Amino acid sequence: MRFSHRGTRHPLVAVTVLLCALLCPMPADASEGPDTSAEVARLYEEASAATARYEEGRYAAKAQRAKVRKLDRLLAKERAAVEVLHADLGRLASAQYRNGGDLPQAAQLLLADSPEELIRGQRLLGQADLAVTHAVGKTQRAAARLATAKRTADRARRTLDRRSADLAELKRGIESKLASAQWTLQGEADRSVAAGQCRGAVRLDQPETDSTRAWMTPVETYELSAGFDSAGARWSHRHTGQDFAVGIGAPVRAVGAGRVVSVTCGGGFGIEVVVEHKGGYYTQYAHLAAVTVDQGERVHPGQWVGQAGTTGNSTGPHLHFEVRITPDLGSAVDPVKWLDDRGVRL
Protein backbone atom coordinates (compact mmCIF):
# COMPACT_ATOMS: atom_id res chain seq x y z
CA MET A 1 0.00 0.00 0.00
CA ARG A 2 1.87 3.08 -1.22
CA PHE A 3 0.94 6.71 -0.82
CA SER A 4 2.44 9.83 -2.31
CA HIS A 5 2.01 13.44 -1.28
CA ARG A 6 2.85 16.60 -3.11
CA GLY A 7 2.34 20.02 -1.61
CA THR A 8 2.77 23.56 -2.88
CA ARG A 9 3.00 26.73 -0.86
CA HIS A 10 2.10 30.19 -2.12
CA PRO A 11 5.01 32.71 -1.86
CA LEU A 12 2.90 35.07 0.25
CA VAL A 13 2.22 32.26 2.73
CA ALA A 14 5.94 31.49 2.92
CA VAL A 15 6.74 35.16 3.63
CA THR A 16 4.04 35.30 6.32
CA VAL A 17 5.38 32.18 7.98
CA LEU A 18 8.94 33.57 7.88
CA LEU A 19 7.87 36.90 9.44
CA CYS A 20 5.98 35.04 12.16
CA ALA A 21 9.03 32.89 12.88
CA LEU A 22 11.20 36.02 13.17
CA LEU A 23 8.82 38.23 15.14
CA CYS A 24 6.91 35.64 17.19
CA PRO A 25 9.27 32.71 17.84
CA MET A 26 7.73 29.62 19.44
CA PRO A 27 9.18 28.15 22.65
CA ALA A 28 11.93 25.64 22.01
CA ASP A 29 9.89 22.72 23.32
CA ALA A 30 6.72 23.60 21.39
CA SER A 31 5.36 21.01 18.96
CA GLU A 32 2.61 20.92 16.40
CA GLY A 33 2.08 17.24 17.16
CA PRO A 34 -0.89 17.41 19.57
CA ASP A 35 -2.78 19.89 17.37
CA THR A 36 -2.11 17.91 14.21
CA SER A 37 -3.04 14.62 15.86
CA ALA A 38 -6.29 16.07 17.15
CA GLU A 39 -7.04 17.59 13.72
CA VAL A 40 -6.46 14.25 12.00
CA ALA A 41 -8.65 12.45 14.56
CA ARG A 42 -11.40 15.06 14.11
CA LEU A 43 -11.22 14.85 10.31
CA TYR A 44 -11.39 11.06 10.48
CA GLU A 45 -14.67 11.36 12.37
CA GLU A 46 -15.97 13.98 9.94
CA ALA A 47 -14.95 11.88 6.93
CA SER A 48 -16.66 8.83 8.41
CA ALA A 49 -19.86 10.78 9.09
CA ALA A 50 -19.76 12.37 5.62
CA THR A 51 -19.28 8.96 4.01
CA ALA A 52 -22.24 7.56 5.95
CA ARG A 53 -24.45 10.49 4.91
CA TYR A 54 -23.30 10.18 1.29
CA GLU A 55 -24.03 6.46 1.19
CA GLU A 56 -27.41 7.01 2.81
CA GLY A 57 -28.29 9.70 0.24
CA ARG A 58 -26.99 7.57 -2.63
CA TYR A 59 -29.11 4.58 -1.63
CA ALA A 60 -32.16 6.81 -1.13
CA ALA A 61 -31.70 8.27 -4.63
CA LYS A 62 -31.27 4.77 -6.05
CA ALA A 63 -34.50 3.62 -4.38
CA GLN A 64 -36.31 6.70 -5.67
CA ARG A 65 -35.11 6.05 -9.23
CA ALA A 66 -36.42 2.48 -8.94
CA LYS A 67 -39.78 3.86 -7.77
CA VAL A 68 -39.93 6.19 -10.80
CA ARG A 69 -39.18 3.28 -13.15
CA LYS A 70 -41.96 1.23 -11.55
CA LEU A 71 -44.41 4.13 -11.92
CA ASP A 72 -43.37 4.45 -15.58
CA ARG A 73 -44.26 0.80 -16.15
CA LEU A 74 -47.61 1.14 -14.35
CA LEU A 75 -48.44 4.29 -16.31
CA ALA A 76 -47.66 2.51 -19.58
CA LYS A 77 -50.00 -0.35 -18.57
CA GLU A 78 -52.81 2.06 -17.67
CA ARG A 79 -52.43 3.89 -20.97
CA ALA A 80 -52.53 0.59 -22.83
CA ALA A 81 -55.69 -0.38 -20.91
CA VAL A 82 -57.36 2.90 -21.90
CA GLU A 83 -56.48 2.28 -25.55
CA VAL A 84 -57.94 -1.24 -25.37
CA LEU A 85 -61.17 0.08 -23.83
CA HIS A 86 -61.44 2.79 -26.44
CA ALA A 87 -61.03 0.13 -29.15
CA ASP A 88 -63.72 -2.01 -27.48
CA LEU A 89 -66.06 0.98 -27.34
CA GLY A 90 -65.42 1.60 -31.04
CA ARG A 91 -66.30 -2.00 -31.85
CA LEU A 92 -69.50 -1.76 -29.80
CA ALA A 93 -70.47 1.43 -31.61
CA SER A 94 -69.88 -0.26 -34.96
CA ALA A 95 -71.97 -3.22 -33.91
CA GLN A 96 -74.73 -0.89 -32.77
CA TYR A 97 -74.63 0.84 -36.14
CA ARG A 98 -74.83 -2.48 -37.99
CA ASN A 99 -77.75 -3.50 -35.82
CA GLY A 100 -79.66 -0.34 -36.58
CA GLY A 101 -78.17 1.96 -34.02
CA ASP A 102 -78.49 4.85 -36.49
CA LEU A 103 -82.19 4.24 -37.18
CA PRO A 104 -84.93 6.20 -35.41
CA GLN A 105 -86.62 4.42 -32.54
CA ALA A 106 -89.90 4.07 -34.54
CA ALA A 107 -88.10 2.40 -37.46
CA GLN A 108 -86.33 0.01 -35.12
CA LEU A 109 -89.70 -0.94 -33.61
CA LEU A 110 -91.07 -1.71 -37.09
CA LEU A 111 -88.05 -3.84 -38.05
CA ALA A 112 -87.72 -5.72 -34.75
CA ASP A 113 -89.22 -9.20 -34.45
CA SER A 114 -90.95 -8.03 -31.28
CA PRO A 115 -90.94 -4.93 -29.07
CA GLU A 116 -89.65 -7.01 -26.18
CA GLU A 117 -86.63 -8.11 -28.25
CA LEU A 118 -85.87 -4.53 -29.23
CA ILE A 119 -86.15 -3.28 -25.64
CA ARG A 120 -83.97 -6.11 -24.36
CA GLY A 121 -81.33 -5.41 -27.02
CA GLN A 122 -81.37 -1.69 -26.30
CA ARG A 123 -81.06 -2.36 -22.57
CA LEU A 124 -78.10 -4.70 -23.04
CA LEU A 125 -76.40 -2.27 -25.38
CA GLY A 126 -76.96 0.57 -22.93
CA GLN A 127 -75.52 -1.48 -20.09
CA ALA A 128 -72.47 -2.31 -22.22
CA ASP A 129 -72.02 1.38 -23.05
CA LEU A 130 -72.23 2.33 -19.37
CA ALA A 131 -69.77 -0.41 -18.37
CA VAL A 132 -67.24 0.65 -20.99
CA THR A 133 -67.69 4.35 -20.13
CA HIS A 134 -67.22 3.56 -16.45
CA ALA A 135 -64.12 1.44 -17.15
CA VAL A 136 -62.61 4.14 -19.38
CA GLY A 137 -63.22 6.81 -16.76
CA LYS A 138 -61.79 4.66 -13.98
CA THR A 139 -58.69 3.84 -16.04
CA GLN A 140 -58.19 7.47 -17.03
CA ARG A 141 -58.45 8.57 -13.39
CA ALA A 142 -55.94 5.89 -12.38
CA ALA A 143 -53.59 7.02 -15.15
CA ALA A 144 -53.93 10.64 -13.99
CA ARG A 145 -53.12 9.63 -10.42
CA LEU A 146 -50.09 7.68 -11.62
CA ALA A 147 -48.91 10.63 -13.73
CA THR A 148 -49.18 12.91 -10.67
CA ALA A 149 -47.34 10.36 -8.52
CA LYS A 150 -44.64 10.05 -11.18
CA ARG A 151 -44.14 13.83 -11.31
CA THR A 152 -43.83 13.88 -7.50
CA ALA A 153 -41.39 10.95 -7.55
CA ASP A 154 -39.36 12.61 -10.32
CA ARG A 155 -39.04 15.78 -8.25
CA ALA A 156 -37.99 13.74 -5.20
CA ARG A 157 -35.44 11.86 -7.30
CA ARG A 158 -33.93 15.09 -8.64
CA THR A 159 -33.77 16.49 -5.10
CA LEU A 160 -32.04 13.34 -3.83
CA ASP A 161 -29.61 13.34 -6.76
CA ARG A 162 -28.67 16.96 -6.00
CA ARG A 163 -28.27 16.09 -2.32
CA SER A 164 -26.05 13.13 -3.19
CA ALA A 165 -23.90 15.38 -5.40
CA ASP A 166 -23.59 17.94 -2.58
CA LEU A 167 -22.70 15.22 -0.07
CA ALA A 168 -20.12 13.79 -2.47
CA GLU A 169 -18.54 17.25 -2.81
CA LEU A 170 -18.50 17.67 0.98
CA LYS A 171 -16.95 14.20 1.37
CA ARG A 172 -14.21 15.01 -1.18
CA GLY A 173 -13.44 18.28 0.62
CA ILE A 174 -13.08 16.61 4.01
CA GLU A 175 -10.97 13.81 2.55
CA SER A 176 -8.69 16.39 0.89
CA LYS A 177 -8.21 18.19 4.22
CA LEU A 178 -7.64 14.85 5.92
CA ALA A 179 -4.98 13.82 3.40
CA SER A 180 -3.11 17.10 3.94
CA ALA A 181 -3.31 16.78 7.73
CA GLN A 182 -2.26 13.12 7.57
CA TRP A 183 0.99 13.91 5.80
CA THR A 184 1.67 16.83 8.12
CA LEU A 185 1.33 14.39 11.02
CA GLN A 186 3.56 11.86 9.27
CA GLY A 187 6.20 14.52 8.66
CA GLU A 188 6.25 15.36 12.36
CA ALA A 189 6.53 11.66 13.19
CA ASP A 190 9.41 11.16 10.73
CA ARG A 191 11.31 14.06 12.27
CA SER A 192 10.75 12.59 15.73
CA VAL A 193 12.05 9.17 14.61
CA ALA A 194 15.04 10.72 12.86
CA ALA A 195 15.92 12.55 16.07
CA GLY A 196 15.37 9.37 18.10
CA GLN A 197 13.28 11.36 20.51
CA CYS A 198 9.59 10.62 21.18
CA ARG A 199 7.31 13.65 21.37
CA GLY A 200 5.34 12.25 24.28
CA ALA A 201 1.72 11.22 24.52
CA VAL A 202 -0.88 13.19 22.61
CA ARG A 203 -4.02 13.41 24.70
CA LEU A 204 -7.04 12.99 22.44
CA ASP A 205 -10.71 12.67 23.33
CA GLN A 206 -11.21 8.96 23.81
CA PRO A 207 -14.29 7.29 22.29
CA GLU A 208 -16.84 5.47 24.39
CA THR A 209 -16.15 1.74 24.33
CA ASP A 210 -18.26 -1.33 25.05
CA SER A 211 -17.14 -2.26 28.55
CA THR A 212 -18.56 -5.78 28.17
CA ARG A 213 -15.98 -6.69 25.53
CA ALA A 214 -12.71 -7.97 26.96
CA TRP A 215 -10.91 -8.18 23.59
CA MET A 216 -11.21 -6.46 20.22
CA THR A 217 -9.33 -5.73 16.99
CA PRO A 218 -6.50 -3.16 17.19
CA VAL A 219 -8.20 -0.97 14.56
CA GLU A 220 -11.89 -0.63 13.81
CA THR A 221 -11.92 -0.45 10.01
CA TYR A 222 -9.15 -2.13 8.03
CA GLU A 223 -7.96 -4.48 5.34
CA LEU A 224 -5.55 -7.26 6.22
CA SER A 225 -2.24 -7.18 4.38
CA ALA A 226 0.95 -9.09 5.29
CA GLY A 227 0.25 -11.95 7.65
CA PHE A 228 2.22 -13.70 10.37
CA ASP A 229 5.22 -15.80 9.32
CA SER A 230 5.00 -14.68 5.69
CA ALA A 231 8.22 -14.26 3.74
CA GLY A 232 9.33 -11.27 1.70
CA ALA A 233 12.20 -9.03 0.71
CA ARG A 234 11.08 -6.37 3.22
CA TRP A 235 11.99 -8.50 6.25
CA SER A 236 15.37 -9.88 7.24
CA HIS A 237 13.61 -13.05 8.43
CA ARG A 238 9.91 -13.90 8.32
CA HIS A 239 7.13 -11.46 9.14
CA THR A 240 6.52 -11.43 12.89
CA GLY A 241 3.03 -9.93 13.06
CA GLN A 242 -0.19 -9.15 11.26
CA ASP A 243 -0.42 -5.95 9.20
CA PHE A 244 -3.60 -3.91 9.01
CA ALA A 245 -3.83 -1.55 6.03
CA VAL A 246 -5.20 1.74 7.40
CA GLY A 247 -4.63 5.42 6.73
CA ILE A 248 -2.22 7.73 8.50
CA GLY A 249 -3.74 8.95 11.74
CA ALA A 250 -6.27 6.12 12.03
CA PRO A 251 -6.91 5.43 15.73
CA VAL A 252 -5.06 2.38 17.05
CA ARG A 253 -6.58 0.82 20.14
CA ALA A 254 -5.52 -1.58 22.85
CA VAL A 255 -6.92 -5.04 22.08
CA GLY A 256 -7.46 -5.68 25.79
CA ALA A 257 -6.80 -4.36 29.27
CA GLY A 258 -3.15 -4.01 30.26
CA ARG A 259 -0.23 -1.76 31.10
CA VAL A 260 2.03 0.13 28.71
CA VAL A 261 5.54 -1.25 29.20
CA SER A 262 7.33 0.74 26.51
CA VAL A 263 6.95 3.63 24.07
CA THR A 264 9.82 3.97 21.60
CA CYS A 265 10.41 5.85 18.38
CA GLY A 266 13.44 4.48 16.59
CA GLY A 267 14.59 1.48 14.59
CA GLY A 268 12.75 -0.62 12.06
CA PHE A 269 9.41 -0.36 13.84
CA GLY A 270 9.48 3.43 13.98
CA ILE A 271 7.15 4.71 16.69
CA GLU A 272 5.80 1.77 18.65
CA VAL A 273 3.86 0.92 21.81
CA VAL A 274 4.06 -2.37 23.74
CA VAL A 275 1.30 -3.34 26.19
CA GLU A 276 1.46 -6.11 28.78
CA HIS A 277 -1.68 -8.19 29.38
CA LYS A 278 -2.67 -10.71 32.01
CA GLY A 279 -1.53 -14.24 31.26
CA GLY A 280 2.01 -13.29 30.29
CA TYR A 281 1.29 -11.91 26.80
CA TYR A 282 2.35 -8.62 25.24
CA THR A 283 0.93 -6.77 22.23
CA GLN A 284 2.94 -4.45 20.02
CA TYR A 285 1.59 -1.60 17.86
CA ALA A 286 4.22 -0.36 15.40
CA HIS A 287 4.90 2.13 12.56
CA LEU A 288 2.73 4.71 14.38
CA ALA A 289 2.53 8.41 13.57
CA ALA A 290 1.73 9.39 17.17
CA VAL A 291 1.18 7.82 20.59
CA THR A 292 -1.60 8.68 23.02
CA VAL A 293 -0.29 6.87 26.11
CA ASP A 294 2.79 7.02 28.31
CA GLN A 295 4.95 4.21 29.64
CA GLY A 296 3.51 2.73 32.83
CA GLU A 297 -0.04 3.83 32.01
CA ARG A 298 -2.88 1.33 32.38
CA VAL A 299 -5.21 0.95 29.40
CA HIS A 300 -8.63 -0.59 28.94
CA PRO A 301 -9.99 -2.50 25.93
CA GLY A 302 -10.57 -0.16 23.02
CA GLN A 303 -8.59 2.74 24.46
CA TRP A 304 -6.55 4.58 21.85
CA VAL A 305 -2.84 3.94 22.27
CA GLY A 306 -1.74 5.76 19.13
CA GLN A 307 -2.42 6.75 15.55
CA ALA A 308 -1.35 4.66 12.57
CA GLY A 309 1.41 5.87 10.28
CA THR A 310 4.34 4.68 8.21
CA THR A 311 7.39 5.32 10.39
CA GLY A 312 10.42 3.05 10.43
CA ASN A 313 10.86 0.25 7.91
CA SER A 314 7.50 0.71 6.22
CA THR A 315 6.45 0.90 2.56
CA GLY A 316 3.10 2.58 3.24
CA PRO A 317 0.63 3.50 5.99
CA HIS A 318 -0.39 0.49 8.06
CA LEU A 319 -0.41 -0.90 11.57
CA HIS A 320 2.03 -3.70 12.38
CA PHE A 321 0.46 -5.70 15.22
CA GLU A 322 2.28 -8.40 17.17
CA VAL A 323 1.50 -10.72 20.06
CA ARG A 324 4.54 -11.81 22.07
CA ILE A 325 5.33 -13.92 25.11
CA THR A 326 7.98 -11.36 26.14
CA PRO A 327 8.11 -7.61 25.51
CA ASP A 328 10.98 -8.10 23.07
CA LEU A 329 11.25 -8.92 19.37
CA GLY A 330 11.77 -12.62 18.63
CA SER A 331 9.02 -14.03 20.87
CA ALA A 332 6.02 -13.49 18.61
CA VAL A 333 3.10 -15.89 18.24
CA ASP A 334 0.41 -15.93 15.56
CA PRO A 335 -1.79 -12.89 16.40
CA VAL A 336 -4.73 -14.06 14.29
CA LYS A 337 -5.00 -17.35 16.20
CA TRP A 338 -4.36 -15.56 19.51
CA LEU A 339 -7.22 -13.13 18.90
CA ASP A 340 -9.46 -15.91 17.61
CA ASP A 341 -8.91 -17.83 20.86
CA ARG A 342 -10.30 -14.73 22.63
CA GLY A 343 -13.37 -14.47 20.47
CA VAL A 344 -12.04 -11.88 18.00
CA ARG A 345 -12.09 -12.94 14.35
CA LEU A 346 -10.31 -10.92 11.72
Side-chain angles (χ1 to χ4, degrees), residues 29 31 36 38 45 61 99 140 187 204 222 265:
D29 59 347
S31 171
T36 306
E45 291 182 1
N99 292 326
Q140 287 176 330
L204 302 177
Y222 58 86
C265 56

Side-chain angles (χ1 to χ4, degrees), residues 2 24 39 56 71 78 114 118 140 227 234 237 243 263:
R2 296 177 183 273
C24 312
E39 176 72 359
E56 179 183 340
L71 286 170
E78 291 294 343
S114 69
L118 175 63
Q140 287 176 330
R234 295 192 299 274
H237 300 290
D243 287 351
V263 176

Side-chain angles (χ1 to χ4, degrees), residues 206-228:
Q206 292 284 339
E208 294 183 4
T209 56
D210 185 353
S211 59
T212 63
R213 296 176 59 190
W215 303 95
M216 59 186 62
T217 57
V219 285
E220 187 171 3
T221 305
Y222 58 86
E223 288 183 9
L224 296 177
S225 48
F228 177 73

